[in-house]
Amino acid sequence: MAAIIIDGKVVSASVRERIKAEVSEMDIKPGLAVIIVGSDPASHVYVRNKKRGCEEVGFNSWVYELPEETAEDELLALIDKLNGEDNVHGILVQLPLPKHINESAVTERIVPEKDVDAFHAVNAGKILKGEDTLLPCTPAGIMELLSHYDIPVRGRRCVVIGRSNIVGKPTALLLLAADGTVTVCHSKTNDLPAVTREADILVSAVGIAGFVTADMVKPGAVVIDVGMNRDKDGKLCGDVDFPAVSDIASYITPVPGGVGPMTISMLLRNTLTAAKNIIKTN
Ligand code: GUN
């Protein structure tokens, strides 16, 4: 039986509607500052979409486009300035950064209250401890998709392929916080298919087209594909062999149109949360 296709565009639109409704009742506008260094075309597309998302829900937004040769000190000085501005509630530095800039120094410079990517060690630590905090956007988007489709996590076997700080590790922690029984796999895992076949919920964040084949999936599993790859014809595709796996899964996310559309909506939600938290403490 064919799987139900999880529609990230529909869920993303409903999240944005809720944000927009909440903003219309607020006395101030939440504000997001986005910094991009250099001229990577894909990063510029992402930043444009973030600005458009802000406009859609009624936020203020500012985009700082800095040249490739910007010194780390200059970037840190801009972050310091934005950290101190009252109408800026969220700060995001688009990654990757040019090689001469230390990514960790930059993400640690944003005050945790305005860290809408949730990359700061304080926010990462709170997620590890299961404390209330801003949540990393892609993992939060995955949880929102599961919840929207009433897919239970509690007590179920969840397998995450990939252990990045941005996706794999925080996704595992959010599934654990939702009472899933979680296994994290990676490139050194022995007999990966034997592990992934245990999964009731399988999340792939590998970055290799066609990596997850049907023999790696238990019939009836929920399959979440975080991959953003190009196939041999240059077409956008995920990690999962979609035609074969969608025949045996119960639910599956497509690429494009699955997890991808959720990420910016979760960024907008974090910006709203940051704004409300900052207003409350002022
Ligand atoms: N580059 C690719 N994904 C992301 C993300 O989620 N946040 C930031 N800041 N940069 C990215």
Side-chain angles (χ1 to χ4, degrees):
M1 206 181 69
I4 293 171
I5 295 174
I6 294 178
D7 191 335
K9 281 187 269 188
V10 165
V11 184
S12 170
S14 88
V15 170
R16 289 187 199 199
E17 281 309 313
R18 270 179 277 152
I19 295 171
K20 197 171 162 180
E22 210 171 315
V23 172
S24 70
E25 310 263 295
M26 289 171 74
D27 297 329
I28 59 119
K29 274 186 173 193
L32 175 68
V34 179
I35 305 172
I36 176 164
V37 186
S39 55
D40 176 57
S43 291
H44 276 270
V45 172
Y46 289 137
V47 168
R48 235 184 352 260
N49 288 338
K50 286 167 185 173
K51 185 164 173 53
R52 207 172 288 152
C54 285
E55 286 160 3
E56 195 186 320
V57 296
F59 290 179
N60 287 321
S61 65
W62 304 269
V63 176
Y64 295 83
E65 295 183 354
L66 307 182
E68 180 83 19
E69 61 276 12
T70 301
E72 185 175 307
D73 280 352
E74 284 175 73
L75 175 56
L76 295 177
L78 174 58
I79 293 171
D80 289 343
K81 179 170 99 71
L82 296 169
N83 278 338
E85 284 186 3
D86 287 343
N87 54 348
V88 174
H89 306 101
I91 302 170
L92 178 146
V93 180
Q94 186 65 27
L95 303 178
L97 286 165
K99 295 219 172 355
H100 65 276
I101 298 178
N102 179 339
E103 213 162 89
S104 177
V106 169
T107 51
E108 295 302 311
R109 191 70 161 233
I110 298 169
V111 288
E113 302 76 46
K114 297 190 178 185
D115 169 34
V116 284
D117 264 325
F119 291 167
H120 194 289
V122 164
N123 287 324
K126 285 186 177 175
I127 293 159
L128 185 70
K129 292 174 75 180
E131 289 179 11
D132 202 20
T133 185
L134 298 170
L135 297 176
C137 301
T138 300
I142 294 170
M143 299 309 289
E144 187 71 27
L145 289 175
L146 295 174
S147 143
H148 187 95
Y149 281 82
D150 289 324
I151 296 168
V153 176
R154 187 177 195 169
R156 300 179 88 192
R157 295 294 302 265
C158 306
V159 175
V160 180
I161 321 174
R163 54 174 158 177
S164 70
N165 288 330
I166 296 185
V167 182
K169 281 188 222 171
T171 298
L173 291 170
L174 297 188
L175 290 166
L176 187 60
D179 296 326
T181 300
V182 182
T183 303
V184 182
C185 303
H186 45 79
S187 56
K188 308 293 185 296
T189 298
N190 287 337
D191 197 359
L192 179 68
V195 183
T196 59
R197 274 196 299 270
E198 294 270 307
D200 300 312
I201 297 173
L202 178 61
V203 179
S204 181
V206 175
I208 300 173
F211 187 85
V212 177
T213 47
D215 62 302
M216 296 167 70
V217 179
K218 177 163 80 176
V222 176
V223 179
I224 306 290
D225 190 348
V226 191
M228 289 268 262
N229 315 303
R230 298 275 165 191
D231 69 11
K232 54 186 184 321
D233 305 319
K235 221 175 84 197
L236 188 65
C237 67
D239 293 343
V240 175
D241 175 0
F242 187 87
V245 173
S246 61
D247 265 352
I248 58 167
S250 58
Y251 290 87
I252 189 166
T253 61
V255 178
V259 176
M262 295 303 294
T263 302
I264 295 181
S265 295
M266 294 298 109
L267 170 69
L268 299 173
R269 192 167 77 182
N270 272 347
T271 305
L272 174 62
T273 305
K276 289 197 292 189
N277 290 344
I278 290 168
I279 295 163
K280 216 166 32 190
T281 51
N282 278 351

